[in-house]
Amino acid sequence: MTLCQHYLVPVVTQGGLTGLCAGAHPDAGELALSLERLTGVEEVDADGVMVVRAGTLLQVVQEVAAQHGWHCGIDIGSRGSCTIGGNVATNAGGNCVVRYGMTRDNVLGLEAVLADGRVLTSLNRMRKNNCGYDLKQLFIGSEGTLGVVTRVALQLHPEPLSQECAFIALRDYESAIALLRRGQKSLGGIVSSFEVMWPDYYSFVVDVAGAAAPLQARHAIYALLEVRGFDAVADRGRLENVLAEAFETGEVEDAVIAQSLDDVRRLWDVRDDVARWLDPYIPSRTTFDVSVPIRAMQLAVDQVRARILHRWENGTVLCFGHIGDGNVHIAVSLPDHRAHIDELNHIVFSQITELGGVISAEHGIGRKRRAYLRYSRSEAELEVMKLIKQNLDPNSILNPNKII
Ligand SMILES: Cc1cc2nc3c(=O)[nH]c(=O)nc-3n(C[C@H](O)[C@H](O)[C@H](O)COP(=O)(O)OP(=O)(O)OC[C@H]3O[C@@H](n4cnc5c(N)ncnc54)[C@H](O)[C@@H]3O)c2cc1C
């Protein structure tokens, strides 16, 4: 970094290259800095604090945590290819945010190399540390624009002993949220995932892409509920009770509970293996990753779908997501897709903004969403972001033309 600063060579940091906003793509004349060899877990201490080098794969972090009797609260579909440094740089979300929070909530401290080569070691290990500005937060979610993250201190969690998973058909969206709240109240905080699929997505995956259907009849909405608890015998019963109560109220119309880890994987495949189901049929598509307040989610999905199909009647719109976190993914494919991307972005982002949402929930801004950041940030916020960037990287050599 010292040399690059001296010669004013822009640097684009690369982790596992699984990012979905073109944040790790260098332009001509920019240097790609791979963290592929900066790997390894340095320590897991008795308090469940792990210190790990930034290029380590997330899956390795999870495996080493488990070997020490702990659980990593970060989990995303790209776990086998993405790096913990990339997760920090994008503040990755994923399947367990409803239980463990975003990456930000799992990071206690970090080390970053600044634009001029100075090493900022801030490997805090304590949950409470109010000694001035919390500098790690500057780098979490900064997508390589403020520093190169080189080491991370993570707070791990007690390793769950049970895993129960149910695929559920519900009367409507309100029933899905009622079931989530019922589960969160009755299951003592062990709900680890709550994923929702609208019928457009479910029918496409099952009828067009040929996935094995967990439930045969068609319903208004589907949810995948997972609990990871500490009592392998009682947790199954607790989950069954919650579902039985929701059957009685009419919220739940049908459900299947996984009987083995293979079943768990098969149920998750329907929701999680999105590229496998969609790529062969709609390879040219935009997948939006937006946040909307949970109470406005159904309205957002209905209005976005209606506006897109009004404009392009032959379009395909498929909705699914981490609804427990208010995060929906909307996959859209249009005839002559590339020609309409800007107009499509404006339609979706303006609708989401009107309902109080934001244009990126967990994938970040990178290069792809940069032109649209104004939908979700005020002038004052953009000004402060620019001030931070100018002060930490006055020559703009760190991932230029990304985010702002
Ligand atoms: C199948 C699949 C499923 C996914 N599911 C999710 C999901 O559920 N939730 C979610 O949030 N994301 C998801 N993603 C997106 C992606 O995996 C995450 O954004 C991930 O955190 C990126 O990590 P990476 O190591 O691949 O980073 P890269 O793609 O290499 O880089 C991403 C950005 O971070 C910067 N960066 C990388 N490493 C560092 C570092 N050490 N220091 C500073 N900057 C750095 C890069 O410059 C770039 O701007 C998914 C992607 C795929 C392909």
Side-chain angles (χ1 to χ4, degrees):
M1 285 309 304
T2 309
L3 283 172
C4 288
Q5 180 72 266
H6 183 78
Y7 292 102
L8 296 181
V9 177
V11 176
V12 180
T13 309
Q14 297 186 335
L17 293 174
T18 67
L20 298 172
C21 291
H25 294 192
D27 284 323
E30 296 179 351
L31 186 145
L33 173 64
S34 169
L35 294 205
E36 205 173 8
R37 292 168 62 187
L38 191 70
T39 59
V41 173
E42 294 183 352
E43 192 189 348
V44 180
D45 75 13
D47 299 321
V49 177
M50 174 188 281
V51 178
V52 56
R53 296 186 191 136
T56 309
L57 294 181
L58 175 59
Q59 190 166 328
V60 172
V61 171
Q62 295 173 338
E63 287 166 359
V64 174
Q67 284 159 16
H68 287 77
W70 294 96
H71 179 73
C72 174
I74 308 164
D75 186 35
I76 59 179
S78 53
R79 64 187 74 77
S81 315
C82 66
T83 62
I84 191 68
N87 303 148
V88 170
T90 57
N91 185 28
N95 300 332
C96 302
V97 173
V98 75
R99 169 89 168 265
Y100 299 110
M102 301 280 282
T103 294
R104 187 183 298 286
D105 301 297
N106 292 270
V107 175
L108 291 172
L110 52 73
E111 179 182 82
V113 178
L114 304 181
D116 58 7
R118 274 178 299 168
V119 180
L120 179 76
T121 302
S122 189
L123 284 165
N124 168 65
R125 286 164 174 262
M126 295 149 294
R127 191 159 284 285
K128 291 188 174 179
N129 180 343
N130 269 352
C131 300
Y133 304 137
D134 190 355
L135 295 176
K136 68 175 181 286
Q137 302 295 359
L138 278 179
F139 301 93
I140 301 173
S142 69
E143 301 181 53
T145 61
L146 298 180
V148 181
V149 177
T150 47
R151 289 199 288 170
V152 184
L154 292 173
Q155 177 65 68
L156 304 175
H157 307 270
E159 174 76 340
L161 303 174
S162 71
Q163 182 174 20
E164 302 290 345
C165 184
F167 200 98
I168 305 154
L170 295 122
R171 185 175 53 199
D172 50 24
Y173 176 76
E174 284 68 35
S175 300
I177 298 308
L179 177 67
L180 169 64
R181 301 299 177 221
R182 188 186 290 279
Q184 286 174 321
K185 277 185 196 154
S186 310
L187 292 165
I190 60 171
V191 173
S192 51
S193 300
F194 191 76
E195 302 290 313
V196 166
M197 290 144 274
W198 273 264
D200 49 16
Y201 175 81
Y202 185 77
S203 298
F204 193 96
V205 167
V206 167
D207 298 335
V208 180
L215 300 167
Q216 292 307 324
R218 294 306 142 93
H219 299 266
I221 201 150
Y222 306 84
L224 189 148
L225 170 63
E226 184 167 88
V227 298
R228 308 281 316 264
F230 301 98
D231 188 333
V233 180
D235 289 339
R236 162 62 67 97
R238 286 189 194 124
L239 174 62
E240 287 171 350
N241 286 344
V242 166
L243 291 176
E245 281 170 23
F247 263 117
E248 276 173 29
T249 62
E251 290 158 6
V252 166
E253 295 181 337
D254 200 0
V256 58
I257 300 182
Q259 302 299 324
S260 64
L261 285 180
D262 273 352
D263 278 357
V264 171
R265 191 183 40 75
R266 273 193 287 274
L267 296 184
W268 265 109
D269 276 354
V270 174
R271 158 61 188 88
D272 220 23
D273 223 348
V274 178
R276 177 172 153 208
W277 308 128
L278 304 195
D279 281 359
Y281 303 95
I282 45 171
S284 186
R285 64 177 184 273
T286 300
T287 301
F288 293 92
D289 155 48
V290 294
S291 268
V292 186
I294 292 176
R295 67 191 135 70
M297 182 67 75
Q298 181 64 54
L299 188 60
V301 164
D302 289 344
Q303 291 187 348
V304 166
R305 186 190 292 117
R307 282 184 65 178
I308 293 171
L309 296 181
H310 177 72
R311 171 67 181 83
W312 298 281
E313 60 181 18
N314 294 324
T316 304
V317 182
L318 311 174
C319 304
F320 55 98
H322 316 290
I323 302 304
D325 320 316
N327 174 195
V328 66
H329 297 311
I330 306 172
V332 184
S333 177
L334 305 174
D336 198 8
H337 191 87
R338 284 184 182 280
H340 301 292
I341 287 178
D342 194 42
E343 186 182 357
L344 174 65
N345 282 337
H346 282 293
I347 287 177
V348 174
F349 294 153
S350 59
Q351 192 62 61
I352 293 300
T353 306
E354 245 174 62
L355 292 168
V358 293
I359 67 165
S360 173
E362 55 176 17
H363 295 163
I365 297 297
R367 181 193 286 162
K368 257 193 189 166
R369 306 267 184 256
R370 184 174 174 237
Y372 309 98
L373 187 56
R374 278 169 194 283
Y375 274 104
S376 300
R377 292 296 192 183
S378 65
E379 275 308 317
E381 287 176 314
L382 292 170
E383 275 311 307
V384 174
M385 283 190 191
K386 282 180 195 154
L387 280 176
I388 293 171
K389 173 73 176 169
Q390 277 158 13
N391 275 283
L392 281 177
D393 181 17
N395 296 317
S396 197
I397 65 161
L398 277 168
N399 216 357
N401 304 317
K402 309 287 166 45
I403 303 187
I404 42 170

